[in-house]
Amino acid sequence: MPTPTERLERSASARSFGSGRQALRQAVRATVRATVLVSAIALLAGCQMLGGKSATVGVVTPGTLRPGLAADIGEREHPRVVATYGGVYEDAGAERAIASVVGRLVAASDDPSQSYRITILNSPAVNAFALPGGYLYITRGLLALANDTSEVAAVLAHEMAHVTANHAIERQQKAEATELANRVVSNVVRDPARAREAVLSSQLSFARFSQVQELQADVVGVKTLAGAGFDPFAAARFLSSMSQFAALQNARKDGSSAPDFLSSHPTTPERVTLAVQAARQVGAPGIGERDRTAYLASIDGMLFGDDPLEGFVRGRDFLHKALGIGFSVPAGYVLENSPEAVLASNGAGTAMRFDGADLTNYDDLRKYMTAGWINGLLPESVRETTINGLPAVVGSAITQGWSFRIAVVRIGRNGYRFIFASRDPNTAFNREYEDTIQSFRQLTPTERARLQSLRIKVVKSQPGDTARQLAIGMGGIEPSRRLEFFSVLNGFGPDEEIPAGTAVKLVVD
């Protein structure tokens, strides 16, 4: 059962908002990020750490590949991957931290002759993946979550294992076969129930295939990690950190963390257990290099969270410095600044989406609202109004058992769109919608000047310090969540005393 936010994303009305985030970006940039084709996504080696999927049956062997094919694919898709993930993040310290381990890992890998091109992506997501030809990608969000050099090395070793095993090519082949099989079944089998059962079976087969690849890369990665002299238990440790971070993010969204049974990734406990077993084949805990202090020093000052060009989430406020706009959601809602739109959910069945639109060709807001981009629009509900002195149009829609409240606010040629969705459009739903759209406003010059990006700040703990004490120094995060956030980010329990002189990460603005 989809969560409210997922349902809003998939709804017929919401699908028409697909270009809205681009409209927000266009107001700041001259160009919009390119969209990666489905075929490109299928070629990613699938290590989307927090639940992303790769759409990718027969497996090809390395010997069947045209010479140079992998490199050609990687070179072709690299620009589109970079564009989709916010561009390249340039940070000298982070680059040095990665460079310090790559040579050692390559020398200890299954194919020391393989060359790699590693790119840091300007994305707050905790993610890493690979393309054929040695193209490896790691996000700044992942670098921020890691606590020492060995954890970053564990991620890179895992991705190198995907490359040396040609997993991306295998995944693409299996995806193509799965798609063909599903098409044949759908066209030939007359019984809809049997056809659906066959399609689900093939999807499960692909999911298991991908899971096997992940587990293989975990084992090979740990072996490479140890061979390079790093702590072999770092892989299990970082997998645990990712799991805790994912739980924290899921709790912020809607309180639901139900697993997707078609996920291409094995459950984290399974991977942690396997990683620990692989590490124990090397030795007991405590062996190998970790180097927390040097690593954290290298990411001190690194951008954290949203890129300024995408706006900022500050508690229940969304603020965009470049566009000079902001709004607030009611108590109980949690905001998420996703690549597609700004999303929010109250955990009780209501979801909100905010994005932008180009109104250049619409002098009349009523005509824009009735232009056909909303399925199930109730024409009699459409009316023009003003919101904090800005021209606006509001309306309602009903489709597929869902009720929607929509508002579009105009500033020049740019439109800013709100959509609220619920199966139970009660008084609270209407009030929360009204409170949110009425909070939309233009920021003052002083507010824009004061709005700063979040950064990682590394400090040394003092005698007697605990996570609870240090978390107070966090900025840009809801006070009620600072302790939990600090604990997950640094790997210390809330009341655990942190040894004096330990480097820890704070998030500050």
Side-chain angles (χ1 to χ4, degrees), residues 6-281:
E6 291 170 337
R7 184 62 183 82
L8 176 56
E9 290 267 67
R10 301 174 191 175
S11 70
S13 295
R15 278 201 301 271
S16 63
F17 279 28
S19 63
R21 189 51 148 176
Q22 292 181 353
L24 281 176
R25 294 183 183 123
Q26 284 175 324
V28 187
R29 297 172 171 158
T31 59
V32 178
R33 293 178 186 171
T35 300
V36 176
L37 299 177
V38 172
S39 60
I41 295 298
L43 287 167
L44 297 177
C47 296
Q48 298 183 344
M49 297 295 184
L50 295 183
K53 300 174 190 174
S54 298
T56 85
V57 252
V59 175
V60 297
T61 61
T64 66
L65 300 180
R66 171 178 62 79
L69 173 62
D72 290 348
I73 292 172
E75 182 178 7
R76 183 188 71 223
E77 303 303 339
H78 172 75
R80 287 184 278 189
V81 170
V82 169
T84 300
Y85 280 84
V88 176
Y89 182 69
E90 297 180 354
D91 182 282
E95 291 163 4
R96 285 195 299 270
I98 291 175
S100 69
V101 304
V102 170
R104 291 165 59 177
L105 291 174
V106 172
S109 71
D110 286 347
D111 183 6
S113 67
Q114 172 69 54
S115 60
Y116 295 92
R117 176 176 177 174
I118 301 173
T119 302
I120 303 175
L121 297 171
N122 186 26
S123 170
V126 179
N127 205 347
F129 47 84
L131 280 176
Y135 286 77
L136 306 185
Y137 304 88
I138 188 166
T139 62
R140 60 175 170 81
L142 188 148
L143 294 175
L145 183 60
N147 276 306
D148 58 47
T149 302
S150 68
E151 292 183 356
V152 174
V155 173
L156 293 173
H158 177 100
E159 298 309 327
M160 289 177 179
H162 278 307
V163 172
T164 57
N166 283 293
H167 279 168
I169 298 291
E170 293 180 4
R171 191 170 300 208
Q172 172 68 6
Q173 294 289 323
K174 194 163 184 73
E176 292 171 353
T178 298
E179 182 182 358
L180 177 60
N182 290 345
R183 189 181 307 122
V184 170
V185 167
S186 299
N187 292 339
V188 174
V189 178
R190 295 183 178 180
D191 185 341
R194 290 185 61 190
R196 175 172 172 74
E197 182 180 344
V199 169
L200 285 174
S201 177
S202 67
Q203 290 174 336
L204 281 171
S205 175
F206 171 69
R208 293 190 188 102
F209 172 79
S210 300
Q211 290 170 2
V212 168
Q213 287 187 329
E214 291 304 312
L215 295 175
Q216 287 175 344
D218 282 341
V219 172
V220 173
V222 170
K223 177 184 174 183
T224 302
L225 191 64
F230 295 105
D231 175 15
F233 290 86
R237 192 167 60 250
F238 192 63
L239 283 168
S240 295
S241 293
M242 289 191 301
S243 178
Q244 293 170 22
F245 188 77
L248 181 63
Q249 296 298 92
N250 285 331
R252 290 184 70 252
K253 292 176 186 177
D254 53 32
S256 171
S257 58
D260 182 345
F261 76 102
L262 289 180
S263 172
S264 63
H265 289 75
T267 63
T268 301
E270 180 184 2
R271 295 182 66 185
V272 170
T273 298
L274 187 65
V276 170
Q277 291 174 349
R280 284 176 177 165
Q281 297 297 314

